[in-house]
Amino acid sequence: MSPSPLFAAPKGTRDILPGESRRFEKLVATFSDFAHRYGFGLIVSPLFEDVGVFHRGIGEQSDVARKEMYVFEDRSGRRLALRPEGTASVVRAFVQHHPVTPWKVWYLTPAFRYEQPQAGRYRQHHQLGVEALGTDDPTLDVEVITLAWRFYEAVGLRQISLMINSMGHRACREPYLELLRQHLETHEGELCDEHRALWRTNALRVLDCKQESCVGVTAPGPMLIDHVCEECRAHFQIVRDGLDSLGVTYSVNPRLVRGFDYYTRTTFEFVSGAMNSAQNAVGGGGRYDRLAEELGGDPTSGIGFGSGLERLMLALEAESIVALDDSSIDVFIVDTAGGQSSLVLVEALRAVGLSAERSYDQRSMKSQMKLADRSGARLALLIGPRERESDTVTIRDLRGTDEAQRQHSVALLDATATVLQLLTK
RNA sequence: GUGGGCGUAGCUCAGUUGGUUAGAGCGCCAGGUUGUGGUCCUGGAGGCCGCGGGUUCGACCCCCGUCGCUCACCCCA
């Protein structure tokens, strides 16, 4: 940093290095495990798509589509964009391949948005998510939300709260929007500066505004949840009943409006109560009943959930959860005899599935012991001239307390078996 | 796009109204009598004080510019 390097990671991006990346790995592994348990298969799709996939997918008026996408032309003049979120690509793949429904997939993906970076907001961030297409069964909504809930629980988060809402479907949203606009029009003067100018083009956004002035206007006004049609109301009720019977606690937030235009009916968001930044939404999602059509497919209902890895890691930090950070190894080989013995031994240990490490560059025993300690290894295997001479190794328990039992000598040929035995008891 | 803060050792930061060899803690390396870590002690390596210009006898410090980082608004994960 000080002798300013020639290159640094671009603004709003960062390197996740060993140490921190351990957390990242464990989160991904945990999510993958849950996704499989809930019947989702992995989808890996291109990071860039025809720009239309995102324009039509997430809505041309959304902020993300309008001013935050990384759009570029390839050498043949195709208009492409880096994926700003996960859902649109999945739906494009669904439309392209006509899979048997219900189609349930999960993903891990970077997402790119050209924004001013700040705490918990990056130009490249990473998302874990699931999407399920081909049915509008509300109990599937329950499963998706529950998967997310259990996942957060499993990684140790306690201060997470779930908010849900229903956006209705297109036919019941239109009359509501009319009502809302009328209400906003009569109170136009009381809105915050920004929404006084903007309420006509995106009335729903006003509901999400945190300014006191706007809240004052919208609080007594009409709420979408009270104006959805009978079918949407019934759908939402089944979602609520399902969550109740699975023991997932939530609150209904009629003001919950999510950022993409494609949502219909169920929407939800998970917020960390431990984070003090404004970027405390760790994950969210909802149902989208028109996205497949929008991308040229048959009308197909879908529901998905996405969680930001960086937000997740910030939330873990905010709750001081370190359970995922352990990167210690099983065995460290301390070798002062030189030659190939430690190379051969470390390979033998790795071959039976242990994580084994050694030091390089012929360091003193003291300094190698130091490395062994810091590696977190449970055992150190010592090979010095004496062991070399007698074809033995000295096994030292680095974590034990019984001084008499901490160290003993075994034949080199028995070392791996003895280590395995010691580690499993 | 708008506004605030900050750039000094690998990291976190001190640096006295501008004064001569730029500091601490942590980390790293090596020692503390000849083969044993986590504690302790000693020593060492490591800085164009982000970059460029200006003011001054003299600038890490003041002024201008520039680049970068960061936080917030907006929006989002």
Side-chain angles (χ1 to χ4, degrees):
Chain A
M1 193 157 130
S2 43
S4 38
L6 195 51
F7 296 111
K11 187 183 180 79
T13 71
R14 66 196 199 98
D15 302 308
I16 303 176
L17 305 176
E20 186 185 7
S21 63
R22 187 66 188 156
R23 232 175 232 214
F24 191 99
E25 267 188 291
K26 292 260 185 84
L27 289 171
V28 173
T30 305
F31 191 80
S32 160
D33 178 40
F34 271 86
H36 280 103
R37 278 198 243 171
Y38 280 76
F40 292 81
L42 177 66
I43 178 172
V44 180
S45 48
L47 276 187
F48 55 87
E49 298 268 1
D50 188 294
V51 69
V53 170
F54 303 118
H55 271 153
R56 299 182 68 100
I58 65 187
E60 312 240 16
Q61 311 84 314
S62 71
D63 274 39
V64 169
R66 266 176 32 235
K67 47 188 194 194
E68 295 176 2
M69 278 212 287
Y70 279 90
V71 178
F72 63 99
E73 261 184 28
D74 73 5
R75 289 170 185 267
S76 309
R78 298 181 183 90
R79 296 259 298 156
L80 301 169
L82 296 182
R83 157 187 302 177
E85 56 93 54
T87 305
S89 298
V90 170
V91 176
R92 190 232 79 225
F94 173 84
V95 170
Q96 180 177 339
H97 300 290
H98 304 289
V100 174
T101 58
W103 193 57
K104 295 165 73 178
V105 295
W106 75 274
Y107 57 79
L108 160 67
T109 181
F112 305 87
R113 294 182 202 166
Y114 190 85
E115 307 182 82
Q116 288 307 318
Q118 62 184 279
R121 208 176 69 183
Y122 301 94
R123 288 185 175 177
Q124 173 174 346
H125 73 278
H126 299 83
Q127 289 193 20
L128 288 166
V130 301
E131 307 290 342
L133 285 106
T135 168
D136 63 0
D137 187 331
T139 61
L140 177 56
D141 303 30
V142 176
E143 283 194 31
V144 167
I145 295 172
T146 304
L147 156 57
W149 177 267
R150 300 283 180 233
F151 166 62
Y152 291 136
E153 206 170 57
V155 300
L157 290 172
R158 293 292 171 269
Q159 299 180 53
I160 288 273
S161 54
L162 166 63
M163 299 183 302
I164 64 173
N165 191 20
S166 175
M167 308 280 290
H169 72 298
R170 206 185 183 192
C172 47
R173 205 184 312 185
E174 277 313 318
Y176 166 74
L177 281 175
E178 199 40 54
L179 269 178
L180 180 60
R181 285 198 202 94
Q182 281 170 23
H183 178 78
L184 294 177
E185 189 164 20
T186 55
H187 299 276
E188 186 172 16
E190 302 157 43
L191 295 172
C192 74
D193 292 348
E194 190 192 338
H195 288 116
R196 201 175 312 131
L198 254 151
W199 68 268
R200 280 173 204 279
T201 50
N202 201 342
L204 282 177
R205 276 258 76 84
V206 185
L207 291 179
D208 201 32
C209 181
K210 285 138 204 145
Q211 300 285 326
E212 273 184 42
S213 47
C214 279
V215 175
V217 171
T218 53
M223 286 297 168
L224 177 48
I225 191 92
D226 302 318
H227 291 83
V228 299
C229 67
E230 229 5 89
E231 274 181 49
C232 286
R233 190 189 312 279
H235 191 277
F236 191 53
Q237 190 57 50
I238 295 173
V239 173
R240 297 187 57 170
D241 292 345
L243 292 173
D244 289 337
S245 56
L246 297 187
V248 177
T249 55
Y250 60 87
S251 59
V252 175
N253 178 358
R255 314 180 76 88
L256 179 65
V257 174
R258 295 186 45 79
F260 303 130
D261 293 358
Y262 54 60
Y263 287 114
T264 53
R265 293 192 166 167
T266 313
T267 57
F268 57 94
E269 197 165 290
F270 290 89
V271 174
S272 166
M275 294 165 75
N276 35 22
S277 87
Q279 283 73 24
N280 62 356
V282 171
R287 182 163 281 285
Y288 40 87
D289 288 350
R290 293 182 33 80
L291 196 40
E293 270 178 279
E294 208 55 60
L295 296 179
D298 295 331
T300 310
S301 188
I303 177 157
F305 158 73
S307 191
L309 262 307
E310 285 79 3
R311 295 269 173 97
L312 208 41
M313 291 198 282
L314 288 171
L316 288 167
E317 208 169 300
E319 289 199 35
S320 309
I321 294 167
V322 296
L324 303 171
D325 294 348
D326 182 39
S327 59
S328 54
I329 63 170
D330 297 316
V331 191
F332 195 100
I333 297 172
V334 170
D335 169 31
T336 58
Q340 306 254 309
S341 45
S342 78
L343 174 65
V344 172
L345 185 52
V346 79
E347 176 61 15
L349 292 164
R350 289 167 179 165
V352 298
L354 297 173
S355 58
E357 187 55 289
R358 63 193 183 101
S359 83
Y360 305 101
D361 303 320
Q362 280 292 358
R363 306 231 253 161
S364 71
M365 169 158 289
K366 177 172 177 162
S367 96
Q368 291 192 47
M369 283 301 293
K370 220 170 190 171
L371 294 177
D373 182 54
R374 263 179 319 202
S375 74
R378 165 96 184 283
L379 300 175
L381 300 193
L382 282 64
I383 306 174
R386 288 209 292 264
E387 287 83 358
R388 167 60 90 56
E389 193 65 29
S390 55
D391 283 324
T392 59
V393 297
T394 297
I395 301 183
R396 180 172 174 80
D397 183 345
L398 293 172
R399 309 297 154 201
T401 46
D402 181 356
E403 205 49 50
Q405 294 289 312
R406 288 187 71 180
Q407 192 161 314
H408 55 279
S409 174
V410 300
L412 180 57
L413 287 173
D414 300 332
T416 302
T418 310
V419 165
L420 270 175
Q421 200 184 352
L422 287 171
L423 286 174
T424 50
K425 81 176 179 194

